[in-house]
Amino acid sequence: MRRAGARETTTAAAMLQRLRTLARDLPRRVTFMEVCGTHTHAIGAAGLRQLLPERMRLVSGPGCPVCVTPVGYLDHAEALARQRGVELCSFGDLYRVPSSRGSLERLAAEGFPVRIVYSPHDALALAEQHADSDLVFLSIGFETTTPTVAATLETARERGVRNLRILPGNKRIAPALSALARDPDVRIDGLLLPGHVSVITGAAVYRFLAREHRLASVVAGFRPLEILAALIELTRMLLAERPALANLYPSVVRDEGNAVAQQLSERWFTAADADWRGLGPIPDSGLRLRERAADWDASRVAVELPEAREPSGCRCGEVLRGAIDPPDCPLFAQRCTPERPVGACMVSSEGSCAAWFRHERASRPVARAAAARAKGDPA
Ligand code: SF4
């Protein structure tokens, strides 16, 4: 993150003061959720969480694509990799995420070909170079990633590339927020909505949050001042008892989103029920490939899957629902570190546990959670 200039620091101090003044009138402690992993890192890097008013809590949500990818998806990928002639292509973040029996890293150590790629186009290039192999691209991500996979399929079709397959694990964020809003165990008063995803989806897809669930929500950018402005706006809405949707990132997010990217995705993908780590199955929250993409669809290849098993003691599911903060997990910074991660939220660079480890290990909430555990109190 770039260093703040003197004027920015003065503005941030004034905004914090404004937030604290507003928060004094809140009738109780409120909880806001930052949905996106990039926000979690920005908040941690700027030290914002420690500066919040006592009556305000910020929890992380399900906006890290690697973290919400369920263990069953990785099991499926591994089962495909064990078939003759198959090579997996994966984003690097997925490489060390535990599956039921190991991980892609372990699979590679056993001698199965697992390649790290930076985009689906890289996987396509590899497929063209290795005509005698079946390249399977592990397609995970939110609405920002899906259009690039769709564009790759367009190119594969144009060039007649048939040895590239896609294992679709793509997710849609709005249905997940709908599931969270309906979950009686999740208590949030407002949402800091993801800026990047909203560029594609548009802000309008979140309007149901206020209409159906009376949840305040703000689309926000990632600079500390933008995050503070979003928190002020959320607080104002709560005080006025008028939950609504506000778009504070209008320079890049429009109400209707990016129609070209949406149409590209819709040509190849269609909504489907999907399983999320921590949230379970959610109707229409994922994408499957359409019939026209059948030749490239790795999910149509029959494989035998083991019973899905999460890493023992890992509480990623609760972290992803905002039910606990990462330091509340007894393994945090003990058995689980970025060098030796136990769960997906510590593996992924966008994961909440990784963000807290990197930026907030020495903070008061971390110390409080550790002290509570030492006393045997529930975290
Ligand atoms: S600290 Fe590690 S084990 Fe605990 S929830 Fe996070 S990723 Fe899972």
Side-chain angles (χ1 to χ4, degrees), residues 37-55:
T38 312
H39 271 140
T40 306
H41 275 270
I43 288 162
L48 285 182
R49 213 179 304 272
Q50 283 79 59
L51 299 172
L52 293 179
E54 278 290 316
R55 290 188 164 207

Side-chain angles (χ1 to χ4, degrees), residues 110-164:
E110 284 175 33
F112 292 96
V114 182
R115 295 170 182 270
I116 303 297
V117 291
Y118 295 98
S119 76
H121 292 289
D122 290 350
L124 174 62
L126 283 168
E128 288 178 303
Q129 288 159 21
H130 300 265
D132 51 342
S133 295
D134 262 340
L135 275 286
V136 174
F137 175 68
L138 304 185
S139 175
I140 64 160
F142 294 114
E143 286 90 337
T144 33
T145 318
T146 309
T148 61
V149 182
T152 303
L153 282 165
E154 296 265 355
T155 310
R157 189 195 53 184
E158 281 160 22
R159 295 188 191 162
V161 178
R162 298 280 162 183
N163 63 328
L164 172 69

Side-chain angles (χ1 to χ4, degrees), residues 13 46 61 96 104 122 150 160 164 184 213 239 244 251 267 287 306 324 348 350 364-366 373:
R96 292 202 294 161
L104 298 181
D122 290 350
L164 172 69
H213 306 286
L239 288 174
S251 53
R267 258 207 301 281
L287 294 169
I324 63 167
S348 170
E350 283 190 54
R364 275 179 298 145
V366 175
R373 280 203 305 276

